[in-house]
Amino acid sequence: MNTLYHYPLSPFSRKVRLCLAEKKIEVGLVDERYWEQSPEFLRRNPAAKVPVLKMNGRLMPESTAICEYLEEMYPTPPLMPRDAEGRYEVRRLVGWFDDKFYHEVTFKLTGERVYRKVMARGYPDSANVKAGARAIKFHLDYMAYLLEHRRWLAGNDMTLADFAGAAHLSCLDYTSDVDWNRHEVVKDWYAKIKSRPAFRSLLADEVPGFQPAAHYADLDF
């Protein structure tokens, strides 16, 4: 049985879960309190990060590397373009979300509202929350710019870039930190991904001590 060691509100875990589900690869989910750095988990990944995928007799950390492995091993349905220019654009946007967006938005909103409490690291830092709330506006504007010129974030087909963006926004949507009225085109894009069968398990997630926003699992939000 394939196993994914993950945390429900980790955008990196969610990106891999979306890829696995889209490619119809069955996997068992194991919630991992990775911040506790247990010896058992450190043996799986010395970097002490989620996700870690156990598949084909090996343990694989690092979300983007996992997703590209899955793409090579299970190419249908494709989540990467066939041309070099298209693959570059997908990788650029995956890097954008997993680096810039994560540090400027996800970590400062989901991190302060959820991670800090579950990790028993005190109360939310209001300065970080305010900074994240400001920064997400810029990122939503950039996504709108892309989607006004393309059907999907990286081009005319849905790709790993869309799953990366949706993974981060879904974490933020759990705590109602996305202004879906800012750009109709971004809301429509998210609604298309949210309606996919691959997204169902994410919408069923619940983190103890944190109720999801009322519209979180609503496909007509």
Side-chain angles (χ1 to χ4, degrees):
M1 180 65 174
N2 303 318
T3 303
L4 184 71
Y5 300 92
H6 80 122
Y7 185 70
L9 282 188
S10 156
F12 310 106
S13 297
R14 288 183 161 219
K15 180 178 63 177
V16 172
R17 288 169 65 188
L18 286 170
C19 289
L20 288 162
E22 187 72 15
K23 292 178 179 295
K24 295 181 172 56
I25 301 171
E26 292 188 5
V27 63
L29 298 176
V30 175
D31 287 5
E32 186 65 62
R33 297 173 66 86
Y34 60 93
W35 58 90
E36 294 178 352
Q37 299 191 20
S38 69
E40 184 179 3
F41 184 63
L42 288 175
R43 283 194 291 271
R44 298 190 191 105
N45 182 14
K49 296 191 301 182
V50 289
V52 177
L53 177 63
K54 184 178 181 181
M55 175 181 275
N56 298 331
R58 63 179 300 186
L59 290 166
M60 293 178 283
E62 296 300 333
S63 65
T64 298
I66 293 170
C67 290
E68 295 216 19
Y69 171 86
L70 294 173
E71 182 69 10
E72 292 187 20
M73 295 295 290
Y74 306 90
T76 304
L79 292 175
M80 291 288 284
R82 301 182 70 176
D83 61 293
E85 290 81 5
R87 290 196 299 274
Y88 164 79
E89 182 65 357
V90 170
R91 289 174 175 132
R92 181 185 76 82
L93 288 172
V94 171
W96 175 283
F97 285 110
D98 286 352
D99 183 6
K100 186 176 178 65
F101 190 100
Y102 175 74
H103 288 102
E104 293 182 0
V105 181
T106 313
F107 188 72
K108 290 187 176 177
L109 290 174
T110 306
E112 293 295 335
R113 297 193 196 281
V114 180
Y115 301 164
R116 187 182 285 270
K117 182 176 179 179
V118 299
M119 296 178 185
R121 294 179 179 174
Y123 296 98
D125 184 324
S126 61
N128 278 339
V129 172
K130 290 177 182 178
R134 287 193 303 269
I136 194 174
K137 297 176 182 178
F138 161 75
H139 287 276
L140 291 173
D141 292 349
Y142 180 56
M143 293 176 70
Y145 166 77
L146 294 174
L147 291 166
E148 284 165 358
H149 295 83
R150 306 164 173 178
R151 289 179 58 198
W152 297 90
L153 288 177
N156 289 327
D157 298 307
M158 189 187 69
T159 66
L160 182 58
D162 297 287
F163 280 177
H168 284 272
L169 287 180
S170 66
C171 290
L172 295 160
D173 195 41
Y174 189 95
T175 50
S176 199
D177 277 311
V178 184
D179 178 6
W180 294 116
N181 294 318
R182 188 172 180 85
H183 292 289
E184 193 69 24
V185 68
V186 177
K187 182 179 180 180
D188 289 346
W189 162 85
Y190 186 69
K192 285 192 294 185
I193 297 184
K194 189 177 183 180
S195 298
R196 299 186 73 81
F199 218 88
R200 289 174 187 159
S201 71
L202 273 62
L203 298 179
D205 283 346
E206 286 200 14
V207 176
F210 297 90
Q211 287 295 314
H215 67 270
Y216 174 73
D218 188 355
L219 300 182
D220 186 21
F221 61 103

